[in-house]
Amino acid sequence: FELVAADLPDSLVEAWESGGQLRRAGNRVIALAPDNERVEGMVHEVFRSGGRLLAVRPFQATLEEALLAEIDGPRDAGKEGVA
């Protein structure tokens, strides 16, 4: 999931930065959450901190990212057996 929030305290933003992918855009933060459990926890953290939740949307890879993952997948798998 992609979570967009604003007006978060620096301590929360720093905690999220240390735990994964995060982008800043002015006073807005865009964070990636890998699953439902994590996104629910992040939503609660936004509200507890007094921040504003702007959006929660399913993360969708771009066509380019999906194609590269498909291409890189078999190549990486083949390298495991090579010493």
XYZ file of all heavy atoms in Angstrom:
627
model
N 0.831 -1.181 0.000
C 0.000 0.000 0.000
C 0.870 1.237 0.000
O 1.980 1.214 0.507
C -0.898 0.029 1.238
C -1.977 -1.005 1.206
C -1.764 -2.247 1.746
C -3.206 -0.728 0.637
C -2.743 -3.211 1.733
C -4.201 -1.676 0.627
C -3.979 -2.931 1.170
N 0.318 2.298 -0.520
C 0.970 3.592 -0.468
C 0.136 4.485 0.438
O -1.063 4.640 0.226
C 1.043 4.173 -1.882
C 1.799 5.466 -1.978
C 1.869 5.943 -3.407
O 0.838 6.396 -3.937
O 2.965 5.869 -3.986
N 0.761 5.037 1.449
C 0.079 5.884 2.412
C 0.620 7.300 2.251
O 1.833 7.508 2.216
C 0.358 5.377 3.822
C -0.296 6.153 4.964
C -0.801 5.187 6.009
C 0.678 7.124 5.571
N -0.289 8.271 2.128
C 0.099 9.673 2.002
C -0.441 10.409 3.216
O -1.631 10.330 3.519
C -0.462 10.304 0.707
C 0.032 11.740 0.561
C -0.086 9.477 -0.511
N 0.450 11.109 3.917
C 0.063 11.831 5.125
C 0.775 13.177 5.150
O 1.760 13.392 4.443
C 0.414 11.014 6.363
N 0.266 14.077 5.981
C 0.861 15.408 6.111
C 0.908 15.801 7.574
O 0.178 15.259 8.407
C 0.052 16.433 5.311
N 1.760 16.781 7.847
C 1.865 17.369 9.183
C 2.231 16.337 10.259
O 1.703 16.378 11.369
C 0.571 18.107 9.561
C 0.195 19.161 8.536
O 1.122 19.808 7.999
O -1.002 19.344 8.277
N 3.123 15.422 9.907
C 3.569 14.410 10.866
C 4.745 14.938 11.674
O 5.560 15.706 11.165
C 4.018 13.138 10.132
C 2.956 12.421 9.304
C 3.589 11.248 8.576
C 1.812 11.970 10.176
N 4.861 14.521 12.928
C 6.027 14.918 13.710
C 7.297 14.274 13.132
O 7.253 13.166 12.583
C 5.732 14.389 15.109
C 4.647 13.396 14.951
C 3.925 13.700 13.678
N 8.411 14.986 13.258
C 9.684 14.480 12.723
C 10.035 13.103 13.268
O 10.578 12.268 12.551
C 10.814 15.459 13.030
C 10.697 16.751 12.227
O 10.043 16.741 11.164
O 11.263 17.765 12.673
N 9.708 12.851 14.534
C 10.058 11.559 15.134
C 9.363 10.398 14.410
O 9.959 9.340 14.204
C 9.703 11.544 16.618
O 8.315 11.782 16.800
N 8.110 10.606 14.001
C 7.384 9.551 13.291
C 7.956 9.362 11.887
O 8.159 8.228 11.438
C 5.891 9.870 13.226
C 5.005 8.840 12.539
C 5.168 7.458 13.178
C 3.552 9.275 12.574
N 8.239 10.461 11.211
C 8.821 10.369 9.866
C 10.162 9.647 9.922
O 10.442 8.775 9.099
C 8.972 11.777 9.237
C 9.712 11.704 7.905
C 7.613 12.436 9.056
N 10.984 9.967 10.906
C 12.287 9.313 11.045
C 12.129 7.826 11.330
O 12.883 7.001 10.807
C 13.100 9.988 12.137
C 13.560 11.381 11.746
C 14.113 12.192 12.904
O 14.261 11.636 14.019
O 14.393 13.381 12.687
N 11.141 7.457 12.124
C 10.893 6.033 12.419
C 10.488 5.297 11.146
O 10.943 4.181 10.895
C 9.826 5.894 13.493
N 9.642 5.919 10.351
C 9.218 5.296 9.096
C 10.377 5.212 8.112
O 10.503 4.232 7.392
C 8.060 6.061 8.479
C 6.753 5.873 9.185
C 6.497 5.139 10.304
C 5.498 6.443 8.810
N 5.182 5.223 10.650
C 4.542 6.015 9.751
C 5.094 7.287 7.794
C 3.203 6.385 9.684
C 3.769 7.662 7.713
C 2.832 7.213 8.660
N 11.221 6.240 8.086
C 12.373 6.222 7.174
C 13.303 5.064 7.503
O 13.808 4.403 6.603
C 13.157 7.533 7.269
C 12.572 8.643 6.449
C 13.374 9.924 6.556
O 13.866 10.245 7.651
O 13.476 10.615 5.536
N 13.525 4.814 8.772
C 14.440 3.739 9.162
C 13.850 2.362 8.869
O 14.579 1.397 8.770
C 14.795 3.847 10.645
O 13.662 3.558 11.443
N 12.538 2.293 8.714
C 11.890 1.005 8.504
C 11.552 0.659 7.070
O 11.022 -0.400 6.801
N 11.838 1.536 6.126
C 11.481 1.193 4.754
C 11.499 2.376 3.827
O 12.145 3.383 4.082
N 10.743 2.232 2.758
C 10.738 3.243 1.708
C 9.828 4.404 2.074
O 8.695 4.215 2.497
C 10.283 2.631 0.394
C 11.252 1.572 -0.117
C 10.770 0.970 -1.406
O 9.595 0.695 -1.561
N 11.675 0.780 -2.335
N 10.348 5.601 1.856
C 9.607 6.799 2.206
C 10.085 7.939 1.315
O 11.278 8.060 1.054
C 9.856 7.144 3.669
C 9.089 8.356 4.176
C 8.139 7.920 5.269
C 10.044 9.370 4.706
N 9.145 8.743 0.851
C 9.493 9.938 0.078
C 8.850 11.136 0.754
O 7.746 11.036 1.287
C 8.958 9.847 -1.350
C 9.611 8.786 -2.185
C 9.089 8.839 -3.596
N 7.640 8.914 -3.607
C 6.832 8.175 -4.342
N 7.335 7.276 -5.125
N 5.530 8.317 -4.292
N 9.537 12.257 0.710
C 8.992 13.498 1.254
C 8.671 14.438 0.096
O 9.411 14.509 -0.871
C 9.996 14.179 2.174
C 10.297 13.418 3.431
C 11.307 14.184 4.250
N 11.791 13.395 5.362
C 11.918 13.868 6.575
N 11.606 15.110 6.851
N 12.372 13.099 7.539
N 7.585 15.175 0.265
C 7.191 16.192 -0.711
C 6.628 17.361 0.086
O 5.446 17.385 0.405
C 6.162 15.640 -1.689
N 7.486 18.286 0.474
C 7.068 19.392 1.327
C 6.689 18.863 2.691
O 7.448 18.138 3.319
N 5.476 19.187 3.144
C 5.030 18.684 4.452
C 4.334 17.326 4.322
O 3.847 16.784 5.299
C 4.104 19.695 5.138
C 2.736 19.767 4.500
O 2.581 19.493 3.306
N 1.751 20.170 5.267
N 4.312 16.794 3.113
C 3.685 15.486 2.872
C 4.722 14.376 2.884
O 5.875 14.570 2.528
C 2.968 15.470 1.520
C 1.789 16.372 1.492
C 1.102 16.306 0.174
N -0.046 17.188 0.204
C -0.997 17.176 -0.687
N -0.943 16.346 -1.710
N -2.011 18.007 -0.594
N 4.258 13.196 3.269
C 5.094 12.007 3.302
C 4.352 10.910 2.547
O 3.150 10.726 2.729
C 5.342 11.568 4.770
C 6.007 10.215 4.823
C 6.170 12.606 5.496
N 5.085 10.212 1.701
C 4.530 9.071 0.979
C 5.319 7.849 1.431
O 6.531 7.776 1.228
C 4.640 9.251 -0.540
C 3.905 10.535 -0.963
C 4.086 8.028 -1.265
C 4.191 10.954 -2.375
N 4.635 6.917 2.071
C 5.294 5.734 2.623
C 4.690 4.477 2.030
O 3.496 4.437 1.718
C 5.130 5.721 4.144
N 5.512 3.452 1.886
C 5.036 2.166 1.388
C 4.879 1.195 2.549
O 5.772 1.074 3.383
C 6.009 1.595 0.357
C 6.193 2.421 -0.912
C 7.154 1.723 -1.851
C 4.867 2.670 -1.599
N 3.740 0.534 2.577
C 3.461 -0.481 3.595
C 3.261 -1.813 2.876
O 2.465 -1.892 1.944
C 2.219 -0.102 4.393
N 3.956 -2.858 3.290
C 3.921 -4.123 2.560
C 2.625 -4.922 2.674
O 2.347 -5.760 1.822
C 5.087 -4.904 3.154
C 5.246 -4.352 4.529
C 4.856 -2.906 4.427
N 1.836 -4.675 3.728
C 0.637 -5.492 3.909
C -0.427 -4.744 4.708
O -0.180 -3.643 5.209
C 0.983 -6.820 4.595
C 1.747 -6.621 5.900
O 1.408 -5.691 6.659
O 2.678 -7.395 6.160
N -1.601 -5.357 4.824
C -2.725 -4.735 5.537
C -2.387 -4.403 6.984
O -2.742 -3.332 7.475
C -3.950 -5.657 5.525
C -4.645 -5.684 4.196
O -4.486 -4.786 3.381
N -5.406 -6.737 3.964
N -1.731 -5.313 7.652
C -1.418 -5.110 9.067
C -0.546 -3.869 9.261
O -0.798 -3.050 10.141
C -0.709 -6.347 9.619
C -0.419 -6.264 11.101
C 0.215 -7.544 11.611
O -0.268 -8.643 11.253
O 1.189 -7.431 12.355
N 0.468 -3.731 8.429
C 1.370 -2.580 8.564
C 0.666 -1.271 8.208
O 0.852 -0.267 8.883
C 2.615 -2.777 7.699
C 3.605 -1.631 7.833
C 4.176 -1.577 9.253
N 4.990 -0.388 9.404
C 4.819 0.540 10.347
N 3.896 0.383 11.265
N 5.581 1.590 10.399
N -0.135 -1.270 7.157
C -0.813 -0.015 6.772
C -1.806 0.395 7.852
O -1.944 1.589 8.156
C -1.462 -0.107 5.379
C -2.787 -0.836 5.389
C -1.674 1.289 4.799
N -2.476 -0.563 8.479
C -3.409 -0.224 9.562
C -2.655 0.402 10.734
O -3.106 1.383 11.323
C -4.172 -1.463 10.019
C -5.210 -1.916 9.032
C -5.901 -3.203 9.435
O -5.756 -3.643 10.600
O -6.584 -3.776 8.573
N -1.493 -0.154 11.065
C -0.683 0.411 12.137
C -0.226 1.826 11.811
O -0.240 2.717 12.672
N 0.155 2.053 10.555
C 0.605 3.386 10.143
C -0.536 4.394 10.196
O -0.339 5.544 10.595
C 1.230 3.317 8.753
C 2.534 2.542 8.723
S 3.146 2.242 7.051
C 3.989 3.803 6.756
N -1.732 3.967 9.806
C -2.903 4.858 9.871
C -3.148 5.275 11.321
O -3.362 6.460 11.613
C -4.147 4.175 9.260
C -5.422 4.932 9.609
C -3.986 4.043 7.751
N -3.091 4.321 12.240
C -3.274 4.648 13.663
C -2.194 5.611 14.147
O -2.481 6.546 14.904
C -3.283 3.381 14.521
C -4.507 2.543 14.340
N -5.752 2.951 14.737
C -4.669 1.321 13.777
C -6.644 2.015 14.438
N -6.007 1.019 13.849
N -0.952 5.404 13.704
C 0.137 6.286 14.103
C -0.090 7.716 13.605
O 0.197 8.678 14.317
C 1.473 5.759 13.573
C 1.930 4.494 14.260
C 3.159 3.881 13.610
O 3.474 4.205 12.437
O 3.810 3.051 14.265
N -0.616 7.848 12.392
C -0.907 9.185 11.850
C -1.915 9.895 12.745
O -1.706 11.043 13.156
C -1.437 9.105 10.395
C -1.998 10.453 9.949
C -0.343 8.640 9.445
N -3.004 9.226 13.073
C -4.051 9.858 13.880
C -3.580 10.151 15.304
O -3.876 11.209 15.853
C -5.322 9.011 13.892
C -6.035 9.016 12.559
C -6.339 7.828 11.922
C -6.394 10.204 11.951
C -6.994 7.827 10.704
C -7.045 10.222 10.728
C -7.349 9.028 10.099
N -2.833 9.208 15.903
C -2.326 9.434 17.263
C -1.355 10.605 17.329
O -1.276 11.302 18.340
C -1.639 8.172 17.790
C -2.596 7.137 18.331
C -1.876 6.075 19.148
N -0.812 5.408 18.404
C -0.937 4.249 17.764
N -2.087 3.612 17.785
N 0.075 3.724 17.131
N -0.620 10.833 16.246
C 0.390 11.892 16.237
C -0.193 13.268 15.910
O 0.514 14.265 15.989
C 1.488 11.562 15.223
O 0.995 11.725 13.896
N -1.465 13.297 15.525
C -2.087 14.575 15.158
C -1.871 14.948 13.706
O -2.205 16.061 13.295
N -1.326 14.028 12.920
C -1.114 14.279 11.495
C -2.413 14.144 10.715
O -3.468 13.829 11.280
N -2.315 14.398 9.428
C -3.486 14.273 8.550
C -3.254 13.141 7.554
O -2.220 13.104 6.882
C -3.722 15.573 7.775
C -4.128 16.735 8.649
C -4.446 17.989 7.844
N -3.289 18.405 7.051
C -3.339 18.733 5.764
N -4.470 18.708 5.097
N -2.241 19.107 5.117
N -4.203 12.227 7.472
C -4.153 11.142 6.501
C -4.782 11.643 5.208
O -5.953 12.046 5.201
C -4.902 9.916 7.029
C -4.902 8.693 6.130
C -3.487 8.160 5.956
C -5.805 7.628 6.702
N -4.029 11.648 4.126
C -4.524 12.171 2.858
C -4.984 11.074 1.908
O -5.916 11.279 1.140
C -3.450 13.023 2.181
C -2.918 14.185 3.029
C -1.796 14.895 2.292
C -4.038 15.149 3.379
N -4.314 9.914 1.955
C -4.703 8.827 1.051
C -4.069 7.517 1.497
O -2.984 7.502 2.071
C -4.263 9.131 -0.376
N -4.773 6.446 1.209
C -4.234 5.088 1.310
C -4.694 4.387 0.049
O -5.884 4.293 -0.214
C -4.760 4.328 2.554
C -4.254 2.891 2.538
C -4.353 5.032 3.828
N -3.735 3.934 -0.730
C -4.103 3.273 -1.980
C -3.212 2.056 -2.212
O -2.055 2.054 -1.791
C -4.041 4.209 -3.168
C -3.060 5.279 -3.133
C -3.127 6.207 -4.338
N -1.924 6.993 -4.292
C -1.874 8.266 -3.948
N -2.965 8.917 -3.675
N -0.731 8.894 -3.898
N -3.764 1.072 -2.875
C -2.949 -0.108 -3.184
C -1.757 0.303 -4.036
O -1.883 1.136 -4.927
C -3.883 -1.019 -3.972
C -5.245 -0.504 -3.707
C -5.114 0.944 -3.389
N -0.603 -0.253 -3.723
C 0.592 0.046 -4.508
C 0.535 -0.755 -5.786
O 0.310 -1.963 -5.765
C 1.860 -0.304 -3.729
C 3.109 -0.068 -4.516
C 3.579 1.215 -4.700
C 3.794 -1.115 -5.083
C 4.731 1.453 -5.439
C 4.939 -0.900 -5.820
C 5.407 0.383 -6.004
N 0.749 -0.058 -6.894
C 0.778 -0.734 -8.184
C 2.086 -0.401 -8.874
O 2.420 0.765 -9.050
C -0.398 -0.292 -9.052
C -1.731 -0.670 -8.459
C -2.899 -0.199 -9.301
O -2.735 0.549 -10.234
N -4.081 -0.659 -8.953
N 2.801 -1.432 -9.227
C 4.061 -1.228 -9.943
C 3.761 -0.694 -11.333
O 2.726 -1.005 -11.926
C 4.822 -2.549 -10.039
N 4.677 0.108 -11.845
C 4.525 0.583 -13.215
C 4.755 -0.591 -14.158
O 5.326 -1.623 -13.771
C 5.531 1.696 -13.537
O 6.857 1.145 -13.482
C 5.394 2.867 -12.567
N 4.348 -0.431 -15.379
C 4.556 -1.476 -16.376
C 6.049 -1.775 -16.523
O 6.460 -2.935 -16.613
C 3.954 -1.059 -17.713
C 4.041 -2.062 -18.848
C 3.399 -3.382 -18.455
C 3.376 -1.503 -20.091
N 6.854 -0.730 -16.495
C 8.301 -0.914 -16.601
C 8.838 -1.732 -15.421
O 9.637 -2.648 -15.599
C 8.999 0.445 -16.642
C 10.513 0.325 -16.738
C 11.199 1.682 -16.720
O 10.555 2.692 -16.378
O 12.387 1.711 -17.043
N 8.400 -1.425 -14.193
C 8.851 -2.165 -13.023
C 8.438 -3.634 -13.102
O 9.218 -4.528 -12.769
C 8.292 -1.532 -11.749
C 8.882 -0.173 -11.447
C 8.124 0.577 -10.364
O 6.922 0.304 -10.157
O 8.740 1.440 -9.738
N 7.219 -3.879 -13.545
C 6.739 -5.259 -13.671
C 7.548 -6.026 -14.718
O 7.921 -7.186 -14.504
C 5.254 -5.267 -14.032
N 7.841 -5.378 -15.836
C 8.616 -6.024 -16.890
C 10.034 -6.330 -16.414
O 10.539 -7.431 -16.613
C 8.663 -5.135 -18.134
C 9.469 -5.664 -19.315
C 8.911 -6.993 -19.797
C 9.489 -4.654 -20.443
N 10.669 -5.363 -15.755
C 12.026 -5.593 -15.253
C 12.063 -6.692 -14.196
O 12.992 -7.501 -14.154
C 12.612 -4.295 -14.695
C 12.959 -3.236 -15.742
C 13.401 -1.950 -15.061
C 14.016 -3.737 -16.705
N 11.065 -6.749 -13.346
C 10.999 -7.810 -12.337
C 10.863 -9.167 -13.004
O 11.479 -10.155 -12.578
C 9.839 -7.561 -11.380
N 10.068 -9.231 -14.057
C 9.880 -10.485 -14.780
C 11.179 -10.913 -15.463
O 11.566 -12.077 -15.422
C 8.766 -10.326 -15.822
C 8.379 -11.599 -16.510
C 7.711 -12.606 -15.592
O 7.054 -12.200 -14.622
O 7.845 -13.814 -15.853
N 11.875 -9.950 -16.039
C 13.139 -10.244 -16.721
C 14.216 -10.629 -15.713
O 14.949 -11.586 -15.908
C 13.597 -9.025 -17.553
C 12.656 -8.836 -18.739
C 15.037 -9.204 -18.029
C 12.866 -7.526 -19.479
N 14.324 -9.878 -14.617
C 15.364 -10.127 -13.620
C 15.115 -11.380 -12.800
O 16.057 -11.991 -12.332
C 15.512 -8.931 -12.666
C 16.152 -7.737 -13.349
O 16.800 -7.934 -14.396
O 16.009 -6.622 -12.829
N 13.869 -11.768 -12.628
C 13.537 -12.922 -11.798
C 14.271 -14.191 -12.204
O 15.050 -14.738 -11.428
N 14.096 -14.662 -13.435
C 14.766 -15.897 -13.836
C 16.292 -15.767 -13.836
O 16.994 -16.682 -13.483
C 14.255 -16.143 -15.257
C 12.960 -15.404 -15.318
C 13.133 -14.219 -14.407
N 16.802 -14.597 -14.193
C 18.247 -14.409 -14.224
C 18.822 -14.535 -12.819
O 19.824 -15.191 -12.614
C 18.590 -13.035 -14.798
C 20.077 -12.869 -14.985
C 20.498 -11.547 -15.583
N 19.509 -10.956 -16.435
C 19.307 -9.648 -16.540
N 20.019 -8.816 -15.829
N 18.401 -9.174 -17.358
N 18.177 -13.928 -11.828
C 18.649 -14.030 -10.450
C 18.570 -15.459 -9.939
O 19.434 -15.919 -9.238
C 17.845 -13.110 -9.526
C 18.145 -11.638 -9.787
O 19.182 -11.346 -10.431
O 17.340 -10.799 -9.357
N 17.497 -16.159 -10.310
C 17.320 -17.534 -9.848
C 18.430 -18.426 -10.413
O 18.923 -19.310 -9.747
C 15.950 -18.064 -10.256
N 18.849 -18.159 -11.642
C 19.890 -18.958 -12.259
C 21.249 -18.723 -11.651
O 22.120 -19.581 -11.683
N 21.471 -17.560 -11.068
C 22.774 -17.221 -10.493
C 22.999 -17.915 -9.162
O 24.124 -18.033 -8.715
C 22.888 -15.703 -10.279
C 23.027 -14.942 -11.557
C 23.167 -13.457 -11.267
C 23.268 -12.653 -12.531
N 23.374 -11.215 -12.256
N 21.943 -18.378 -8.523
C 22.094 -18.986 -7.204
C 22.973 -20.224 -7.239
O 23.745 -20.484 -6.337
C 20.732 -19.347 -6.618
C 19.905 -18.130 -6.261
C 18.522 -18.520 -5.797
O 18.230 -19.713 -5.662
O 17.723 -17.601 -5.601
N 22.881 -20.986 -8.318
C 23.638 -22.231 -8.401
C 25.043 -22.056 -8.933
O 25.819 -22.974 -8.974
N 25.406 -20.824 -9.347
C 26.721 -20.579 -9.921
C 27.661 -20.128 -8.828
O 27.369 -19.229 -8.076
C 26.624 -19.502 -11.038
C 28.012 -19.199 -11.574
C 25.691 -19.955 -12.136
N 28.833 -20.762 -8.758
C 29.807 -20.394 -7.718
C 30.936 -19.594 -8.313
O 31.313 -19.713 -9.399
C 30.338 -21.625 -7.046
